[in-house]
Amino acid sequence: MHRTLADDLSRLPELLQSARDFAAREVAGLDARPVAHLGGPPDAEPLPADGVGAEGALARFAERWAPGFSASAGPRYLGFVTGGATPAALTGDWLTGAYDQNSAGGGDSTATALERETLSWLRELFGLGDDHSGAFVTGATVSNTVGLAIAREWLGERLGVSVSEEGAGALGPVDILSGSPHSSVPKALSVLGIGRGRLRTVPLLPGGREAVDVARLDAELEALDGRPAVVVANAGTVNTVDFDDLRAIAALKERHDFWLHVDAAFGGFAALSPSYAHLVDGLDAADSVCVDLHKWLNVPYDAAVQFTRRRDLQVRVFHNASPYLGAPTGEPDFVHLTPENSRRLRALPAWFSLAAYGRAGHREIVERNIALARRLGDGIADVPGLRLLAPVRLNVVCFTLEGDAGRERVHALGRAVAGSGEAFVTPTVFEGTHALRAAFSNWRTSEADTDRVLAAVRRAAGATDS
Ligand SMILES: *Cc1c(COP(=O)(O)O)cnc(C)c1O
């Protein structure tokens, strides 16, 4: 064994203690550090010929890289839809690395059974029935991709061809219909050989809504004249957190032949609150469902879950036939369900957080975030020179400048907010208007944090105005 490596091995408990102390300081400092780092990276260094050992690497990291990391795990990082890591989730994540299990298949460990237990807890949390089976993947983009891959196989089944054997070309042109699909959906269609151009957006409800007009969807499906299609329903859009009427869409199945995929990346968490659960009413009727976990469950990157009613088709797409891996019989191993072969035990942080806080604890996070988004929305509506672009429907505040809300001015406002170090929000375009989004999904965020965000936005707007 290399001398430095042997040395590290002999001092492993002390090294882990150093890492713990360092991490504890960093996490404790989340409130004080600038929320975003706007400077560049340090100068590159060459590959070390001789390493400096783990303690030395920690010192180098602390000096060169740590200062440039954002406080994205902290309470006032409201860009994109970004969760933090609950204390229990972080604990589970550390142990994931320590145990280094490969959750591809069983036979040598109970790790895959832990993943299954976590999946059944999540299924219950989101109100899905026993007909849905799940698997962990890295994020909602991959979850959408897996769901749409199963949909593609289903289209083949309807048309009497096997896509997994013959390729996507055997299908001919495919119809994918959606109201306000997330950008990861066309990406998935590109990956799957269906093509971004096959995504057809269906008109939305009037009045600034991002929810699909179900009557128009009905008409589009009717026009297909019996040809099977795929409908991507959206449960929580990123700009205004609007929800398609899932129950009404599912009811269209009585008259039309389509696969229903629901992108509930963060909107799925509405199910945790009795006041908002109606927004995802009908989720269980989906053929495949995408929910992100590194957003509103507040587990560290990267984790999402995908559910489907057609695991048989999923196995057809993803089975990895090899004598050394075993055949997908009975309860298929995860290696036969997702794009990965070897798989990190992503379930462990989620298992820890659910074990630690249960349904009630996670419901509290969701409801607090929603209340805080409303608080910020009310505050922003009162700031001269700013206006809300949409009502705060759930956990996102979408706002812009009064008057000339051109790209330059709106982006300058976002940069000024980030430059204050107090908060981080990200730009978007909604109905042709440049805007900023503040998305609440961190378990730490308090009323005081929200008021600090409002103050930072108010100051930045004043400065941008003058
Ligand atoms: C965030 C998001 C995605 C993509 O999620 P990743 O985890 O970044 O891959 C897909 N759909 C919706 C609605 C999202 O909010």
Side-chain angles (χ1 to χ4, degrees):
M1 194 182 283
H2 186 280
R3 191 170 34 76
T4 323
L5 187 57
D7 198 38
D8 274 359
L9 174 59
S10 69
R11 299 186 322 109
L12 192 52
E14 293 90 320
L15 284 173
L16 291 177
Q17 186 62 41
S18 301
R20 190 221 76 97
D21 293 346
F22 181 76
R25 275 198 305 280
E26 291 291 272
V27 170
L30 269 179
D31 223 35
R33 77 184 303 150
V35 176
H37 175 79
L38 303 179
D43 292 337
E45 282 189 351
L47 171 70
D50 281 304
V52 290
E55 196 83 58
L58 180 58
R60 293 255 171 114
F61 168 76
E63 185 200 324
R64 293 185 61 224
W65 292 103
F69 280 22
S70 72
S72 56
R76 295 183 313 285
Y77 186 101
L78 307 180
F80 314 102
V81 181
T82 305
T86 63
L90 183 56
T91 306
D93 199 58
W94 282 5
L95 292 177
T96 305
Y99 279 104
D100 197 21
Q101 302 286 288
N102 184 351
S103 186
D108 61 349
S109 166
T110 58
T112 51
L114 181 142
E115 180 163 340
R116 290 204 176 90
E117 177 169 280
T118 314
L119 288 162
S120 77
W121 289 358
L122 290 166
R123 193 172 55 201
E124 197 180 326
L125 197 66
F126 301 125
L128 299 174
D130 290 347
D131 292 348
H132 280 278
S133 66
F136 271 76
V137 290
T138 53
T141 300
V142 176
S143 180
N144 279 333
T145 305
V146 172
L148 292 170
I150 305 168
R152 187 185 60 177
E153 197 66 21
W154 174 85
L155 286 171
E157 184 181 74
R158 304 305 286 171
L159 299 171
V161 297
S162 167
V163 177
S164 59
E165 292 300 325
E166 298 169 49
L171 286 177
V174 167
D175 297 286
I176 314 277
L177 304 173
S178 188
S180 300
H182 185 266
S183 54
S184 58
V185 170
K187 176 171 172 170
L189 297 176
S190 166
V191 170
L192 293 169
I194 292 173
R196 297 173 193 265
R198 298 307 304 172
L199 175 62
R200 239 176 333 143
T201 49
V202 179
L204 306 174
L205 291 174
R209 298 288 306 273
E210 287 187 296
V212 73
D213 182 335
V214 178
R216 299 294 293 271
L217 178 63
D218 188 11
E220 298 256 1
L221 288 164
E222 186 70 41
L224 295 178
D225 209 17
R227 203 162 73 236
V230 177
V231 171
V232 177
N234 303 292
T237 55
V238 290
N239 279 336
T240 71
V241 200
D242 212 341
F243 288 76
D244 287 350
D245 184 339
L246 301 180
R247 209 165 266 304
I249 294 173
L252 297 178
K253 282 194 166 199
E254 281 167 24
R255 288 183 294 112
H256 307 297
D257 198 19
F258 64 91
W259 177 274
L260 177 56
H261 174 78
V262 179
D263 180 353
F266 66 98
F269 284 82
L272 275 64
S273 168
S275 310
Y276 298 95
H278 65 276
L279 295 169
V280 285
D281 206 26
L283 185 66
D284 183 54
D287 297 296
S288 52
V289 175
C290 153
V291 188
D292 231 333
L293 302 179
H294 52 221
K295 289 176 179 164
W296 228 348
L297 193 68
N298 280 267
V299 295
Y301 290 104
D302 45 19
V305 66
Q306 68 78 217
F307 292 102
T308 183
R309 293 172 168 279
R310 292 297 306 271
R311 190 156 67 180
D312 58 323
L313 296 178
Q314 182 171 19
V315 169
R316 261 198 246 164
V317 178
F318 292 101
H319 80 267
N320 190 346
S322 164
Y324 93 102
L325 292 172
T329 52
E331 179 104 6
D333 284 336
F334 289 111
V335 65
H336 303 299
L337 297 176
T338 68
E340 300 86 2
N341 195 55
S342 297
R343 299 166 73 251
R344 177 179 174 82
L345 184 58
R346 293 200 164 74
L348 193 53
W351 184 93
F352 259 81
S353 208
L354 292 170
Y357 315 118
R359 184 193 288 275
H362 280 278
R363 169 185 167 181
E364 191 279 331
I365 295 171
V366 167
E367 291 183 336
R368 172 159 42 92
N369 284 156
I370 296 169
L372 295 175
R374 291 188 189 284
R375 183 182 181 90
L376 182 69
D378 290 345
I380 283 181
D382 286 341
V383 174
L386 294 182
R387 68 186 173 96
L388 295 183
L389 263 190
V392 179
R393 295 202 178 92
L394 206 69
N395 62 325
V396 173
V397 184
C398 188
F399 63 99
T400 191
L401 290 157
E402 295 274 17
D404 164 29
R407 187 178 187 282
E408 271 312 300
R409 282 185 78 227
V410 172
H411 282 232
L413 176 61
R415 279 195 306 275
V417 172
S420 74
E422 281 285 285
F424 187 69
V425 297
T426 44
T428 188
V429 177
F430 175 59
E431 292 189 322
T433 302
H434 289 275
L436 296 172
R437 295 169 56 260
F440 289 76
S441 39
N442 188 291
W443 65 280
R444 286 173 175 262
T445 314
S446 65
E447 286 191 353
D449 287 311
T450 307
D451 294 344
R452 274 173 76 175
V453 172
L454 178 62
V457 170
R458 190 196 307 273
R459 275 194 307 275
T464 308
D465 227 26
S466 55

